[in-house]
Amino acid sequence: MDEHKENNYIHDSNVSVKNNMMSNTTTEEQQEKPCSRICTVTEPEPTLDVSESKGEFSDPVYKEIAVANGHINRMTKDELRTRLEELKLDTRGVKDVMKKRLKSHYKKNKLKLCADAGEGGGGGGGGDTYYDYICVVDFEATCEEDNPPDFLHEIIEFPMVLINTHTLEIVDSFREYVKPEVNPTLSDFCVKLTGITQEMVDEADTFPEVLQRVVLWLQERDLGTKYKYAILTDGSWDMSKFLNIQCRVSRIRYPQFAKKWINIRKSYGNFYKVPRTQTKLSTMLEKLGLTYEGRPHSGLDDSQNIARIALRMLQDGCQLRVNERIHGGQLLNVPSSAPMEAASPPHKPRSKD
Ligand code: AMP
Ligand code: MG
């Protein structure tokens, strides 16, 4: 696959932050609006339809799975619901979601039976251990209505929601507001959109101080050391745009631990086989039969709702894995064939000067 064609150009490190913002916003906003962020980097995940029961999937178990998938594809919504009920599985969501859930269930059982019987049959883990935790991050930033192309977004809320992938539960959360330094006054639009008031950011610390506490929080939980973890975001912008720009504004190095992440929109589109136009937060929730809980555009509430989607996907058998990274200021795709990548141990922010 031609990686360069799929990559979004983000920054030329030789130009000023403001100019970077302009080039960044022009290229990215056409592809990924804040409210309707659409990922253009596509990387299909392996599936088990009939066409794939060849080559590396030549084990007879894959043929059985392919046959089961064929049956599931022909089932009506009522039949799917009945079967899911019989299996004591979740019956919520649209038809495609129910189909995927049933297929994943059969696949998991078939492969487990195979493995237990010592018949081989692969299993999708690729031999790597899966992340123990997934850390959902959804930044809020300063903004204006129709953000002009050269608008300098500064992070004003840093939330994190921690998912234990073994117990499939949200186990912890973190939130701090952040004082913007270049443009400390929030626009009325920004206050209305995010619910974050001028007072909240006035009383907050600046980004490097907050990032330091974020690092401490991660370290206290042994993330990146004792436990494997990955960062997960809704779209590419949180890391490739907001964090990248903020680090330039704050004159700190882009943190190593945030250099790769799971873009849930991409994972969702690949797993449930829906186009990227159907991977907005509200659409993903709706298709899964869930409703938004809390206040949209509150970073912590957004993170909790993104975490609920991630949990449902894990329950449905999706192996959420790192699919994007940033390198030299460029957003890059991580192909699903790449070895499982976990986030690095978090370290104190380092100054650029
Ligand atoms: P979200 O995670 O969707 O709440 O968006 C993250 C950030 O993107 C917000 O804090 C704003 O800075 C910006 N943003 C989101 N939606 C809009 C919008 N409709 N107009 C302007 N900026 C927006
Ligand atoms: Mg948000």
Side-chain angles (χ1 to χ4, degrees), residues 2 32-33 58 70 79 117 149 216 231 285:
D2 183 355
E32 196 179 315
K33 286 255 180 230
S58 59
E79 287 168 340
L216 252 171
I231 288 175
L285 284 169

Side-chain angles (χ1 to χ4, degrees), residues 37 138-140 297-299 302:
R37 296 183 287 185
D138 185 84
F139 293 122
E140 298 306 322
H297 303 294
S298 142
D302 280 353

Side-chain angles (χ1 to χ4, degrees), residues 203-215:
E203 284 171 4
D205 284 324
T206 60
F207 187 76
E209 296 165 280
V210 173
L211 181 59
Q212 188 140 345
R213 285 193 288 275
V214 164
V215 166

Side-chain angles (χ1 to χ4, degrees), residues 236-297:
S236 314
W237 272 29
D238 290 274
M239 300 300 152
S240 72
K241 180 168 175 160
F242 296 131
L243 182 59
N244 197 30
I245 291 163
Q246 184 62 56
C247 289
R248 283 165 187 270
V249 168
S250 300
R251 305 276 326 140
I252 53 171
R253 285 175 195 243
Y254 186 97
Q256 190 70 30
F257 71 87
K259 284 197 172 169
K260 45 196 165 197
W261 61 90
I262 303 164
N263 174 349
I264 197 169
R265 291 180 179 220
K266 230 163 122 174
S267 311
Y268 182 98
N270 289 334
F271 186 66
Y272 294 115
K273 305 272 181 297
V274 297
R276 291 292 135 78
T277 46
Q278 284 181 34
T279 59
K280 268 172 36 176
L281 178 52
S282 54
T283 314
M284 290 192 285
L285 284 169
E286 187 197 321
K287 300 282 179 198
L288 289 172
L290 304 171
T291 46
Y292 189 97
E293 286 173 5
R295 185 195 192 289
H297 303 294

Side-chain angles (χ1 to χ4, degrees), residues 29 33-37 137-147 151 153-157 189-190 193-194 196 234 237-238 242 265 281 292 295-299 302-303 306:
E29 264 180 9
K33 286 255 180 230
C35 267
S36 57
R37 296 183 287 185
V137 177
D138 185 84
F139 293 122
E140 298 306 322
T142 54
C143 56
E144 277 173 14
E145 199 156 11
D146 305 324
N147 296 311
F151 190 81
H153 293 279
E154 292 178 81
I155 292 176
I156 52 174
E157 182 180 353
F189 176 81
C190 184
L193 182 82
T194 62
I196 300 170
D234 173 33
W237 272 29
D238 290 274
F242 296 131
R265 291 180 179 220
L281 178 52
Y292 189 97
R295 185 195 192 289
H297 303 294
S298 142
D302 280 353
S303 304
I306 297 163

